[in-house]
Amino acid sequence: MTDQVSSADSVATPSIFRLKFHGTGREYFGIWIVNLLLTIVTVGIYSAWATVRTNRYFCGATELDGSRFGYHAQPKAILIGRLIGAAFFIPYAILQHVSPTASLLLLLIGLTILPWLIVRAMRFRMRVLSYRNIRFGFDDTPPAVKMAYRYYLWMPLLLIPTAGLIWPYIQHQHSKYLATRIRYGNTAMGFRSDVGAFYIAYLQLILVEMSMFLAIGVIAIPIVILGVVLSHQPGFRHLMHSDLFRNGAPFLAGIAIALLIYPSFIALVLAFRNWLQRVTYNRITLGDMSVRADYRPWRLFTLYLGNIVMLLFTLGFAYPWVKCRTVRYLIDHIELTTRTGLHQFQAGAPDDSNAVADQVASIFDVDIGIGV
Amino acid sequence: MTEPGRSIAARYYDGLSSASRNEIVTLSAAGLSIGGATPIQAAALNIVEPMGQAFWQIELPDGAMLELDGADGVAVAKALGHRETPIRRWERSLKLALLAIPLLILSVWGASIVAVPVMADLATDMLPRGTDQAIGASSVLVIDRMTSTSTIPSDRRQALRRRFKAMARDIVVDPPPYKLEFRDAPSIGPNAFALPGGTVVATDQMLAILTDDEVVAVLAHELGHVEHRHGVRTVFRSFGLAVLAAAVLGDASTLGNVLTALPVLVTQLSYSRSFEDQADGVALQWLSQPGRSPCDFATGLHKIQVTIDARSGGNSKGATPSWLATHPDTAERIKRFETACQRVKGAIAT
């Protein structure tokens, strides 16, 4: 029996562990297409199994120091959760048509249980994750729910008097709240507070958006000038008055704008999400371990822009490859630094969590905003 | 294959700490032995089949876990009596996965053409007619906001309302509290529409260009929508399509929204065209009765089309492809009524 502890055992030199994603588009393609087909054929029932198989694939393909992550949720638990979620959601969706006021009222009632749902959902999501046969967890002992109400219900009310300027601070509080309650075994995660980093990230976003609008202007103005000049040429004027041009040109121009600008903004929004996650990751600690995500903003942007182009040209069938290349970039650029290694974490107390709140939360599209 | 007694390298996780230990496992008739210890019976082991090429895991009765690399894992699992599940075989076979593509396209197509309409119609039939009005309430508000009080003389409105009432009794089998509203709608132009619950709205702009007979003919079409509860059906079908799109998308929401928007729109428009067709059928049947004329619908629709074309400053035909239109081709609709019109005229002449 040899102890397979890497060089990390010495106290003096910190060792660096890199996460590695082994998934491939080809492998995920089979899982994805079978999931999709069976979900549609079974009128959605299979979606619970599909979710479990997908998560098992992505966790199993993620390696850290020779060991893979594990996902252990039971499909039946998720199915029950989804059915309960649907029982709430379908009346809400129908009520939206019948009486928007009543549906808004229902939504407000839903909002008041949202913080509680978030706590339950986090508990479930962490509980079904494992690494080296040690489960993750989420500490939901009091005042977890009370604090969730403060951060997810009351604090967002301050967005109105502050004209939204408090949002980066709220996100910082959310990240801190969630991170410090996550457990690996019986070890609690830590979070090094840094409100400024969140404000800087948003400032960067605003600067990038402004330069994007500027770039659109720089490209668009010469085209408009060219159009005005050309429209004074007799031959061109004739073409402009033809039926084809009058009916087709605005349509084509619309498509051209949509194809150029719309994907860029979607890519920007998606890239920013990870850019913000990076801020959170870089402040997480576990024992003496610290996390670093070295994402590059331009690389994130081109990654998502490439994804959109691939999806459009393949009518969505490139999805498995798109998903895997995205996850590969996000996983492979996370590194962990520790002096004591990965072998000394102890298991926590056993815990029976249920999937109900997790799925109720997900059907109402609650983005808890943490996780890989 | 794994012959009994062969030694295989595995990683061992005791479940108490995150330490990883290399172990040699041996298989025998008695079961699985770890590092030479007493063998554990196969029945007490839980073999976790990996997704893709991740490691095979064997959960031990005491909460510990063994992890075996791909080929070793397959061999050990097989020796312990584990059979590859059909779902894994399907996911791993390229041929079978490719077979899923046409099946997928077929089932999505079938769901949107057959399953969604059938289920939406079932839901509509289960819903009592009385609820239609509640569903139409929000669209009444929208129309009210977009339009203003009619300026049509009240005696003309009265006359049209009387004819509308009589016609509604003919067309609508189980009449809800139907009513005819007149609204001034410069932004909408010459048009009429049926809201769920039996309210039919005619614009002043339509009344300005049509004779009373033509207005009644167009209203017959709208009552066709009322009779078949197309408004409620549309709500349920849209909901069904949204659920279908969500099932297809899964977690690819942001990117997927872009990709599914067009197919969903195209399907909704095909529903809309089939409803218009059905409403035309109702109008045609009613107008073909003695004392009425399908000619009125043809001339009415023609006048409306001419006005709309003039408003849009050109020939609207060809501007939108047929699969992107809410209504079937106007020329074809007019032709249907023209043909019936000629027949009725011929019958009168002889």
Side-chain angles (χ1 to χ4, degrees):
Chain A
M1 292 188 196
T2 47
D3 221 44
Q4 199 212 23
V5 177
S6 324
S7 56
D9 218 13
S10 71
V11 178
T13 49
S15 25
I16 292 173
F17 295 95
R18 240 173 205 288
L19 285 171
K20 178 140 184 61
F21 182 67
H22 294 275
T24 62
R26 158 69 193 92
E27 213 170 44
Y28 179 46
F29 172 76
I31 296 165
W32 172 75
I33 197 100
V34 171
N35 277 347
L36 213 52
L37 181 65
L38 292 181
T39 297
I40 288 163
V41 169
T42 59
V43 208
I45 304 289
Y46 189 75
S47 71
W49 279 260
T51 302
V52 169
R53 292 190 80 75
T54 304
N55 286 336
R56 279 190 57 210
Y57 178 69
F58 281 96
C59 286
T62 304
E63 183 218 307
L64 174 62
D65 193 29
S67 303
R68 307 293 180 99
F69 284 80
Y71 182 82
H72 310 273
Q74 292 301 314
K76 272 179 201 151
I78 290 183
L79 180 66
I80 291 166
R82 285 201 178 157
L83 290 176
I84 293 173
F88 283 105
F89 185 72
I90 290 172
Y92 167 74
I94 290 171
L95 209 61
Q96 266 187 324
H97 291 280
V98 178
S99 162
T101 342
S103 74
L104 202 70
L105 210 69
L106 204 67
L107 191 69
L108 283 177
I109 294 170
L111 272 182
T112 59
I113 63 159
L114 178 78
W116 176 79
L117 276 179
I118 288 174
V119 173
R120 300 289 310 193
M122 279 303 290
R123 203 173 105 108
F124 176 78
R125 283 181 197 189
M126 289 299 127
R127 196 59 214 156
V128 296
L129 269 186
S130 77
Y131 173 70
R132 290 189 171 173
N133 205 15
I134 301 287
R135 296 284 183 118
F136 284 79
F138 186 79
D139 178 13
D140 66 343
T141 53
V145 174
K146 212 172 112 185
M147 281 168 76
Y149 272 91
R150 183 191 304 159
Y151 292 136
Y152 287 94
L153 198 63
W154 306 128
M155 207 175 263
L157 293 178
L158 293 175
L159 286 169
I160 302 160
T162 59
L165 287 175
I166 200 174
W167 181 238
Y169 173 73
I170 293 177
Q171 281 207 316
H172 173 267
Q173 297 306 98
H174 287 177
S175 290
K176 184 181 172 181
Y177 168 75
L178 295 175
T180 52
R181 291 191 165 267
I182 292 175
R183 305 277 178 267
Y184 173 57
N186 64 2
T187 311
M189 267 193 187
F191 186 81
R192 286 178 277 127
S193 290
D194 186 356
V195 179
F198 282 77
Y199 274 93
I200 287 170
Y202 273 95
L203 209 65
Q204 286 164 330
L205 176 69
I206 291 168
L207 285 175
V208 169
E209 276 177 343
M210 272 162 57
S211 36
M212 260 170 95
F213 280 120
L214 203 70
I216 291 164
V218 168
I219 295 166
I221 289 166
I223 293 174
V224 172
I225 292 172
L226 190 73
V228 171
V229 172
L230 279 177
S231 64
H232 285 82
Q233 306 296 316
F236 204 76
R237 212 167 350 171
H238 180 71
L239 178 71
M240 291 256 293
H241 285 93
S242 69
D243 242 24
L244 174 86
F245 197 81
R246 264 163 71 175
N247 293 326
F251 189 64
L252 286 178
I255 285 182
I257 288 171
L259 281 182
L260 282 173
I261 297 171
Y262 197 44
S264 305
F265 276 96
I266 294 177
L268 181 66
V269 168
L270 293 172
F272 181 69
R273 211 163 57 179
N274 295 129
W275 186 244
L276 212 57
Q277 263 170 359
R278 180 198 69 107
V279 176
T280 300
Y281 291 162
N282 289 350
R283 270 151 193 82
I284 285 176
T285 56
L286 186 70
D288 86 321
M289 188 202 299
S290 61
V291 182
R292 203 171 81 87
D294 49 3
Y295 301 153
R296 297 266 163 273
W298 178 249
R299 186 69 195 92
L300 283 172
F301 177 73
T302 52
L303 179 77
Y304 284 114
L305 200 61
N307 286 352
I308 295 167
V309 171
M310 281 166 73
L311 286 175
L312 284 175
F313 278 99
T314 61
L315 297 173
F317 279 101
Y319 177 74
W321 285 269
V322 161
K323 175 87 182 168
C324 282
R325 77 195 276 263
T326 311
V327 172
R328 189 174 310 121
Y329 181 79
L330 297 176
I331 294 280
D332 288 1
H333 285 81
I334 293 177
E335 59 178 39
L336 311 172
T337 309
T338 168
R339 285 173 196 280
T340 49
L342 301 170
H343 62 287
Q344 82 294 7
F345 294 100
Q346 301 295 309
D351 172 15
D352 298 310
S353 192
N354 67 66
V356 173
D358 181 42
Q359 294 309 317
V360 173
S362 72
I363 204 158
F364 282 96
D365 213 5
V366 178
D367 189 4
I368 297 181
I370 199 159
V372 182
Chain B
M1 276 302 69
T2 314
E3 65 281 8
R6 200 187 117 182
S7 302
I8 297 159
R11 276 179 304 280
Y12 179 87
Y13 305 104
D14 60 11
L16 303 172
S17 84
S18 63
S20 150
R21 209 163 72 196
N22 285 335
E23 287 284 5
I24 301 295
V25 297
T26 42
L27 281 166
S28 66
L32 184 82
S33 163
I34 301 162
T38 322
I40 304 164
Q41 282 192 334
L45 301 166
N46 182 31
I47 296 167
V48 183
E49 196 180 63
M51 300 294 301
Q53 290 179 341
F55 305 130
W56 284 74
Q57 295 174 340
I58 300 175
E59 292 171 354
L60 307 175
D62 62 351
M65 188 187 82
L66 278 179
E67 203 173 65
L68 295 110
D69 292 325
D72 285 343
V74 175
V76 169
K78 203 171 171 188
L80 289 170
H82 176 82
R83 283 221 215 107
E84 187 181 36
T85 54
I87 197 87
R88 177 174 162 85
R89 205 173 311 138
W90 193 3
E91 286 167 350
R92 283 166 59 84
S93 152
L94 183 64
K95 247 187 267 170
L96 286 174
L98 288 176
L99 182 71
I101 295 180
L103 287 176
L104 181 71
I105 292 170
L106 204 71
S107 53
V108 171
W109 183 77
S112 57
I113 298 296
V114 182
V116 169
V118 164
M119 281 164 74
D121 288 354
L122 265 174
T124 309
D125 295 338
M126 273 161 57
L127 208 66
R129 269 188 180 261
T131 49
D132 292 16
Q133 264 196 313
I135 291 174
S138 57
S139 32
V140 170
L141 287 175
V142 173
I143 300 282
D144 274 359
R145 223 175 300 139
M146 284 175 68
T147 60
S148 50
T149 318
S150 173
T151 55
I152 299 294
S154 71
D155 47 339
R156 190 180 177 199
R157 279 187 281 165
Q158 289 305 321
L160 281 170
R161 279 213 173 98
R162 264 197 305 277
R163 294 180 64 176
F164 175 80
K165 261 209 161 121
M167 176 168 62
R169 246 173 267 132
D170 276 355
I171 290 178
V172 186
V173 176
D174 178 15
Y178 44 75
K179 60 177 186 229
L180 177 60
E181 295 278 359
F182 300 95
R183 302 291 295 176
D184 183 27
S187 63
I188 298 173
N191 215 332
F193 22 82
L195 307 178
T199 303
V200 174
V201 181
T203 66
D204 285 8
Q205 284 66 24
M206 184 178 84
L207 264 63
I209 57 169
L210 300 191
T211 67
D212 280 9
D213 282 342
E214 287 163 349
V215 171
V216 169
V218 170
L219 295 179
H221 166 94
E222 300 307 329
L223 279 172
H225 285 313
V226 173
E227 163 60 9
H228 290 287
R229 304 173 75 191
H230 287 155
V232 184
R233 269 170 232 274
T234 303
V235 169
F236 280 120
R237 286 185 183 197
S238 305
F239 181 65
L241 272 190
V243 170
L244 181 66
V248 173
L249 284 183
D251 57 339
S253 51
T254 319
L255 293 174
N257 280 342
V258 185
L259 280 169
T260 47
L262 189 64
V264 166
L265 178 70
V266 168
T267 317
Q268 269 171 341
L269 290 171
S270 86
Y271 294 160
S272 165
R273 288 193 299 275
S274 76
F275 287 159
E276 295 304 328
D277 229 32
Q278 201 177 21
D280 273 358
V282 170
L284 184 61
Q285 206 194 355
W286 189 81
L287 290 168
S288 301
Q289 305 299 313
R292 302 166 198 151
S293 166
C295 313
D296 292 331
F297 191 87
T299 54
L301 196 59
H302 180 72
K303 283 182 188 171
I304 291 173
Q305 190 61 46
V306 167
T307 317
I308 290 173
D309 284 351
R311 266 166 65 108
S312 67
N315 184 3
S316 72
K317 202 186 160 223
T320 36
S322 62
W323 49 274
L324 268 179
T326 55
H327 287 60
D329 182 46
T330 311
E332 302 231 331
R333 294 175 68 195
I334 292 175
K335 213 169 121 195
R336 186 175 172 191
F337 284 86
E338 278 288 352
T339 316
C341 167
Q342 294 309 322
R343 214 170 29 234
V344 172
K345 272 190 186 157
I348 291 165
T350 49

